[in-house]
Amino acid sequence: TADRAWHNPFGPDFPKVRTHFHLDRLGLWKALTFAGHTPDLVTEDDVINGKLAPATHLILVGDCWNANLVPALEKWVQAGGTVLATANAGSRDAYGQPTDAFHKLAGLASVESRTESAFLRPRMELPRLKALGTLKGDGWTLPVLATRESITPRKEEGVTERIKGAMTERALGKGKVIYLAAHPGIAYLHAGLQPPVAPDRGPVTHSIPTAWDANVVKLLEAFVNAPPILKASPALIDARLLRTPKGYLVPLASYTGKERDAVTLELMIKAKTARSAFAGDLKVETTKTGIRVTIPEVRYGDILRLE
């Protein structure tokens, strides 16, 4: 079938390879990163084996799940975790057969779903996707891309319909499960690749997209509901805060599309000294929430040492 993982991506059936879930994850990763958060990739085994305990928020993408995943999720949510699931999440078991185990956990009575575009290449099919509809939330608007889905919540205490037919929330123990009948990560990438251009391997094809969809960031910030520990200006900076025995390291890469930029980092930590790998010693300013450091010139990237 089209769901089998062993399709030859270079053979005649290559369009049957499903890439839309991967792009949804990639877009969510980028949106969270550019908003100042530091997302981690989590596997099914991490959740099943209880390694998710330190985390507070989890985004679920993809349809085929191990049967042990839903009970582990329920335990984690009961203890205070918050889940955001995107379209088709958990709708099949590890063998690709339909299952409603996660839908029950999410407080859904029914899910009607049809994937219109599963084979998406970033510079070819993705930018040419046509919206299947529009979702309007609290301060954000999102195009529905790739998957057409309608959900019906169960009529019970703790289950709330946030957007009719498209977004629900179920309170469960100390945590909650949010289900969104859309692919926000795909929407984020789609916006950055407009208008579509011919993928001719020329300069335009290898350009850095910068016009990302701010609506996706608003959606995710409402989900996380906490200020980022590291905020970069300009925003399109991939910066990570790494703890060391003597302080912190901040590797950063620039995706602003410019040859060079002055970059200001606001961090919710304490430090007295800052040194850039390229710019040398830098001034550390104290703020109400932590510190501020400005690197006068960043090209492709840098490493900042804070002590």
Side-chain angles (χ1 to χ4, degrees):
T1 70
D3 291 334
R4 289 178 178 170
W6 54 81
H7 272 298
N8 181 358
F10 301 103
D13 286 339
F14 76 92
K16 295 180 180 179
V17 178
R18 303 188 306 161
T19 61
H20 64 307
F21 289 133
H22 167 68
L23 292 179
D24 201 16
R25 294 186 191 98
L26 177 61
L28 290 164
W29 176 281
K30 283 183 173 291
L32 286 166
T33 297
F34 291 149
H37 300 284
T38 304
D40 285 326
L41 287 176
V42 178
T43 68
E44 288 183 346
D45 287 342
D46 290 334
V47 181
I48 293 169
N49 295 327
K51 295 182 179 179
L52 198 61
T56 58
H57 293 74
L58 177 67
I59 300 177
L60 299 170
V61 178
D63 55 356
C64 296
W65 290 10
N66 184 305
N68 296 318
L69 185 60
V70 173
L73 280 172
E74 182 172 7
K75 181 179 179 181
W76 181 75
V77 173
Q78 289 274 9
T82 299
V83 163
L84 172 63
T86 65
N88 272 335
S91 59
R92 298 178 180 271
D93 63 17
Y95 302 98
Q97 298 303 308
T99 174
D100 63 355
F102 177 66
H103 294 162
K104 290 179 178 178
L105 180 64
L108 301 178
S110 66
V111 177
E112 296 181 8
S113 186
R114 178 189 173 103
T115 299
E116 304 286 352
S117 305
F119 178 65
L120 301 174
R121 286 170 289 184
R123 293 285 184 168
M124 296 182 72
E125 293 83 8
L126 174 59
R128 292 166 176 80
L129 280 179
K130 301 300 182 183
L132 304 172
T134 303
L135 301 184
K136 293 185 179 181
D138 186 10
W140 53 266
T141 302
L142 192 71
V144 177
L145 299 169
T147 299
R148 193 189 303 272
E149 190 167 81
S150 177
I151 59 177
T152 303
R154 290 204 307 267
K155 295 180 180 180
E156 63 179 53
E157 186 177 355
V159 178
T160 305
E161 189 172 40
R162 296 298 182 193
I163 301 175
K164 186 173 179 58
M167 188 175 185
T168 60
E169 180 179 314
R170 183 193 180 193
L172 186 63
K174 297 179 180 179
K176 59 185 175 181
V177 180
I178 301 166
Y179 192 100
L180 178 67
H183 297 296
I186 292 179
Y188 191 71
L189 298 179
H190 181 267
L193 294 168
Q194 299 304 311
V197 296
D200 60 359
R201 299 189 181 184
V204 175
T205 299
H206 295 283
S207 62
I208 299 176
T210 57
W212 306 109
D213 191 345
N215 286 281
V216 177
V217 175
K218 291 178 182 177
L219 165 65
L220 294 175
E221 286 183 334
F223 166 66
V224 175
N225 194 28
I229 196 170
L230 187 160
K231 190 76 172 178
S233 179
L236 300 184
I237 300 292
D238 184 338
R240 308 279 157 156
L241 184 66
L242 307 177
R243 188 187 297 273
T244 74
K246 294 185 178 180
Y248 302 89
L249 287 176
V250 183
L252 55 92
S254 174
Y255 292 91
T256 65
K258 297 180 181 179
E259 183 179 345
R260 63 192 69 190
D261 265 309
V263 173
T264 298
L265 300 175
E266 295 194 25
L267 304 101
M268 296 175 63
I269 61 170
K270 293 181 180 180
K272 294 182 179 180
T273 64
R275 184 171 179 80
S276 157
F278 290 95
D281 292 332
L282 302 173
K283 180 181 178 182
V284 177
E285 301 176 61
T286 301
T287 66
K288 292 182 179 180
T289 57
I291 63 170
R292 181 186 300 114
V293 177
T294 297
I295 307 173
E297 183 179 299
V298 173
R299 297 194 177 188
Y300 299 111
D302 200 346
I303 298 178
L304 190 64
R305 186 177 71 195
L306 301 164
E307 294 183 0

